[in-house]
Amino acid sequence: MTQIQKYSLKQLDGGGRVVSEKLPAVRSISLGFWLGSGSRHERPGEGGISHFIEHLLFKGSDRYGAVEIAQIFDSIGADLNAATSREYTVVYARFLDEHLEEAFEVIADMVLRPAFKEIDQEREVVVEEIAMYEDSPGDLITDYLTRSIFGEHPLGNSVLGTADVISSVNEGQLRRYHSEHYTRPNLVIAGAGNVDHQELVTLAARHLDGANGDRATAQTALPPPVPQRTAGGACFYQKDTQQYHVCFGGLGLSRSSEEKYAASILDSILGSTASSRLFQEVREKRGLVYSIYSFASFYSDTGLVGIYFGCRGDSVAEVTGIVCDQISSIMEDGPQDRELARAKESAKGKIVLGMETTHSRMSRLGKLTVTGSEILSIDEIIERVNAVTADDITGLARRLYNPEKLAAVAIGTDVSVFEEAVRRLGGVPEARVRMC
């Protein structure tokens, strides 16, 4: 297979990096400003401040008002957006190549010199977003699992934060957090499309002048390592819902782990695709759920794996039993040759197809660079996927899905329903089921 990604990377004087990939066959550019700061960098009492600042970047900067920013990007037919995760924040846009200088200038001012206007109005928007999220148990349950696995470590916190913090945080706290984390050493500018790397470097040198510098470098370091917890627990959140929402999971692998490709293949075989064991056995053959899936998240120094399903109360224990049977089957017998081959081809197809837009290429470069991850060529990734063996999958399943190390969480009306499911899971004694 022909390598389809070549990129250029430049370390800037004074801090910051520029990474880009030129695609001369297109007329567009995707540009992202990536900050190595997310919810895991927040201190006690700051839960959600990273996400709140992301919102406020759109409310105006030293040079541009909120309406003016919207009008500028609308006038050039551009898409402007942003996102906050546990380990980074990004502001990004896609536009015609002829508008690079204007788009770069505005985004740089938004990100590095926000005016922090309309704080009270926007805090109401974020509080409503939190309320909307809390009314979606199918989404909320994964945060509960993450909290159960990582405990008081910042990785266990919700990216959105809490309404209490958002309602009370003031301008001084926002500016202080921004000055500590939105620094040049913590910034990666990523571009992909019909873009010249040297032009990006020149624009960065011009528009990063005066940005927060080396004084905050210490704040960009990762918090203390995540404790390697060895035992799970079970936590029940009582809520008036039509379905029970259930998650099982545990510690996973870091983004730098050589086994992350095997973990992705295991995830595909177990529950992340339409042909996976859980989807076929639980939904297609028995009709017990509408939604069931497995997932794997990779962070800089750790990760998590999990399984989610939502169903009526009289099916919770049965579904849990099927999930356990499928996990045990992989642990004891490994994957079948055909499903391993299918999972590998699926992974390779998603990798290649996912690289067919300027946004996906920019995002890959930006995310990997800002998190300090290795940037492999497509050929190198495919080679590592091909190298995954059945024994790799079996060994990884035994480590990651050991019942004695799994946490279990559920949202529903009757804790006894969950207690029966936990008995099916094994490893988590019924006595340890607690109301949360």
Side-chain angles (χ1 to χ4, degrees):
M1 181 176 290
T2 302
Q3 181 171 318
I4 63 172
Q5 184 171 42
K6 296 180 179 179
Y7 66 93
S8 300
L9 176 64
K10 172 70 174 180
Q11 180 76 42
L12 301 174
D13 294 337
R17 289 161 288 174
V18 176
V19 61
S20 72
E21 179 186 13
K22 186 173 181 62
L23 304 168
V26 302
R27 285 289 311 278
S28 68
I29 295 173
S30 286
L31 177 69
F33 278 55
W34 297 76
L35 278 303
S37 178
S39 61
R40 77 169 295 174
H41 299 87
E42 297 165 351
R43 293 174 290 236
E46 293 181 338
I49 196 171
S50 301
H51 175 251
F52 191 16
I53 288 176
E54 175 221 307
H55 274 244
L56 291 170
L57 299 180
F58 289 79
K59 293 302 177 181
S61 66
D62 285 355
R63 294 183 57 190
Y64 304 98
V67 174
E68 189 177 5
I69 290 171
Q71 290 174 341
I72 288 171
F73 282 93
D74 283 346
S75 70
I76 62 176
D79 298 319
L80 176 66
N81 213 328
T84 305
S85 77
R86 285 181 164 83
E87 294 194 318
Y88 60 82
T89 301
V90 57
V91 179
Y92 59 92
R94 179 171 173 263
F95 43 84
L96 294 179
D97 51 14
E98 62 196 76
H99 299 301
L100 172 60
E101 186 168 352
E102 182 177 16
F104 193 106
E105 180 178 338
V106 178
I107 297 176
D109 215 53
M110 289 171 59
V111 170
L112 300 174
R113 291 171 280 273
F116 290 106
K117 298 177 180 178
E118 302 180 26
I119 293 174
D120 289 335
Q121 295 95 317
E122 198 60 26
R123 86 165 78 242
E124 293 303 316
V125 172
V126 176
V127 168
E128 286 299 321
E129 184 179 1
I130 293 171
M132 180 178 67
Y133 189 72
E134 290 179 344
D135 280 341
S136 303
D139 297 323
L140 189 61
I141 192 69
T142 54
D143 265 356
Y144 287 163
L145 178 69
T146 304
R147 183 185 306 168
S148 183
I149 293 170
F150 294 118
E152 296 302 315
H153 189 278
L155 271 178
N157 298 335
S158 166
V159 172
L160 297 182
T162 66
D164 287 344
V165 171
I166 300 304
S167 296
S168 61
V169 68
N170 59 45
E171 182 178 344
Q173 291 171 296
L174 292 165
R175 289 188 178 277
R176 182 168 58 251
Y177 189 90
H178 183 273
S179 69
E180 291 174 348
H181 295 272
Y182 280 61
T183 66
R184 285 191 60 162
N186 209 22
L187 174 65
V188 171
I189 298 169
N194 192 25
V195 59
D196 179 74
H197 184 71
Q198 186 54 49
E199 184 177 5
L200 272 185
V201 171
T202 300
L203 288 169
R206 182 189 310 162
H207 294 292
L208 267 58
D209 185 42
N212 298 327
D214 291 329
R215 72 180 187 278
T217 302
Q219 295 291 340
T220 68
L222 288 175
V226 177
Q228 295 298 301
R229 305 175 73 185
T230 58
C235 197
F236 185 75
Y237 296 81
Q238 192 166 40
K239 193 169 185 177
D240 186 14
T241 57
Q242 295 297 310
Q243 285 188 316
Y244 284 73
H245 300 267
V246 181
C247 257
F248 308 123
L251 287 172
L253 304 177
S254 71
R255 195 179 290 109
S256 61
S257 172
E258 289 294 326
E259 294 181 292
K260 67 180 180 181
Y261 301 99
S264 295
I265 298 299
L266 170 60
D267 188 45
S268 179
I269 291 170
L270 183 58
S272 68
T273 63
S275 64
S276 66
R277 292 189 177 199
L278 295 183
F279 190 87
Q280 287 297 316
E281 290 293 329
V282 180
R283 172 172 162 154
E284 298 299 276
K285 292 183 180 180
R286 295 173 174 84
L288 295 173
V289 301
Y290 176 77
S291 180
I292 183 168
Y293 58 83
S294 63
F295 55 92
S297 299
F298 305 98
Y299 303 125
S300 296
D301 53 352
T302 187
L304 66 85
V305 295
I307 295 168
Y308 161 83
F309 65 85
C311 65
R312 290 172 295 181
D314 56 3
S315 299
V316 172
E318 183 180 359
V319 173
T320 301
I322 298 169
V323 169
C324 293
D325 289 344
Q326 291 304 316
I327 292 174
S328 295
S329 175
I330 295 175
M331 289 180 177
E332 295 169 8
D333 305 321
Q336 299 173 0
D337 291 342
R338 286 183 298 178
E339 66 180 345
L340 178 58
R342 184 170 59 244
K344 287 183 179 183
E345 290 305 310
S346 174
K348 291 185 287 187
K350 289 176 180 177
I351 291 166
V352 175
L353 293 174
M355 297 293 288
E356 291 194 346
T357 68
T358 58
H359 175 74
S360 61
R361 288 175 179 244
M362 179 278 293
S363 294
R364 179 172 182 264
L365 289 175
K367 183 186 300 184
L368 292 176
T369 303
V370 80
T371 59
S373 305
E374 184 179 16
I375 302 178
L376 300 176
S377 71
I378 303 303
D379 288 343
E380 289 170 325
I381 295 174
I382 290 175
E383 181 179 346
R384 298 189 186 193
V385 170
N386 284 333
V388 173
T389 67
D391 287 343
D392 293 334
I393 300 299
T394 302
L396 203 54
R398 290 172 180 168
R399 283 167 44 207
L400 299 184
Y401 286 99
N402 180 346
E404 295 183 356
K405 296 184 179 181
L406 292 183
V409 294
I411 299 173
T413 57
D414 185 355
V415 67
S416 66
V417 171
F418 183 49
E419 287 171 342
E420 173 61 25
V422 168
R423 283 193 288 269
R424 296 284 186 95
L425 179 65
V428 183
E430 179 186 353
R432 294 180 60 192
V433 176
R434 63 190 189 278
M435 302 296 292
C436 297

